[in-house]
Amino acid sequence: MYEPILPQGPQAALMPGAAYSVPGLFLYSSLVCQCLDQVEAKFGYRIPVRYLYGSPQARWNCGRPIIVDHGYTMEDIQAELQGVLDRGITPLLTFSMPRMTERDLEDPLGNAILDLLNRLGGGVIVSSPLLRDHIRANYSGIELHASVIMTSFEENRDEAYYKTLSQNYSRYVVHPDDNYDLDLLARLPKDRAEIMLNERCVRHCAQRGEHYLTNTQDQAVALAGTGQYTGFLRRCPFVPDYKQQTTPARNISLTAAEAKALADMGFGLFKLQGRLDIPYAFFFDFLRYTLENEVAFPAMYPPFCFAIRAWEREKAKGRKK
């Protein structure tokens, strides 16, 4: 019998019991929260976003390197972090700059933000052992997460390597190339693992390490206001996504079936990237990986596009987020 009611509660979830780590902190956190509210109103289902990650422009940031930073004061940063915490979501700072030096650790803004986060509660995504040890020694209330950048510079990502990450960090990201190595995945410690869902590069990309290193260089240029950007994205054949318009090569974003199979293996935390995406592309991924695909996702994404358009119009008027 035909029932003209959308799936409700857990029936609206793509992977019941899964949790998510998503971008948007200091970028479009208000839009993420609006999406959560609209999904809950429509399906009676609260998408379990456990972490929201990002960073204002800061020396240690190696996430999205060139954002239109609006001159966040410490009061603004506190309000952003507290607003996320008030939602029951843990904020994560992408302080994932690789190859840091002792002098880098003296950065006053980075330390001021860490002090604030230590008092409020939250975590930091790191790839530098120097920064990890600095945080452990001085900011004991902060969760430490191992960045995917760390795994990208590791040549021998075997079971022992991932077990070491699991022992040393609150969370670690399985390198997206390894999402297809089912034998390895079966043997990994899963209680602290994150699976990257929507990596839109090719498998075994030879330029991945260079990409992260150029992020660091470009962040320094953005902060200084002088110098030359590396222009890496102009040379990258796959990123941004418009470069994939005519290629038959598949990127390594997981299908819904592949993601569900990994959930069935025991992985419970799933990570989305997206800070280089236009919001329409990010929320397409966010909703298709969180909502049941046959009815709930197509019922939610088109109307939410109107919320994105309204948000963009407000942003164009000079609003902060």
Side-chain angles (χ1 to χ4, degrees), residues 166-205:
S166 181
Q167 292 164 358
N168 289 330
Y169 297 91
S170 296
R171 294 284 178 184
Y172 71 92
V173 181
V174 177
H175 193 286
D177 284 352
D178 295 336
N179 286 345
Y180 300 90
D181 188 341
L182 298 183
D183 180 63
L184 173 63
L185 293 177
R187 294 180 280 111
L188 296 188
K190 298 177 176 59
D191 58 332
R192 296 190 176 189
E194 289 184 75
I195 295 292
M196 180 77 79
L197 290 167
N198 61 336
E199 176 56 72
R200 298 220 278 281
C201 195
V202 291
R203 196 176 185 201
H204 304 308
C205 173

Side-chain angles (χ1 to χ4, degrees), residues 103-135:
R103 184 173 182 181
D104 290 325
L105 296 180
E106 299 172 2
D107 180 62
L109 176 60
N111 281 288
I113 295 174
L114 287 181
D115 182 66
L116 176 62
L117 188 69
N118 191 55
R119 288 186 279 113
L120 294 178
V124 175
I125 302 172
V126 301
S127 64
S128 165
L130 270 179
L131 183 57
R132 177 198 64 197
D133 294 344
H134 175 71
I135 293 173

Side-chain angles (χ1 to χ4, degrees), residues 231-243:
F232 175 82
L233 290 181
R234 291 196 297 271
R235 307 192 304 273
C236 178
F238 257 69
V239 180
D241 287 5
Y242 68 82
K243 298 175 183 178

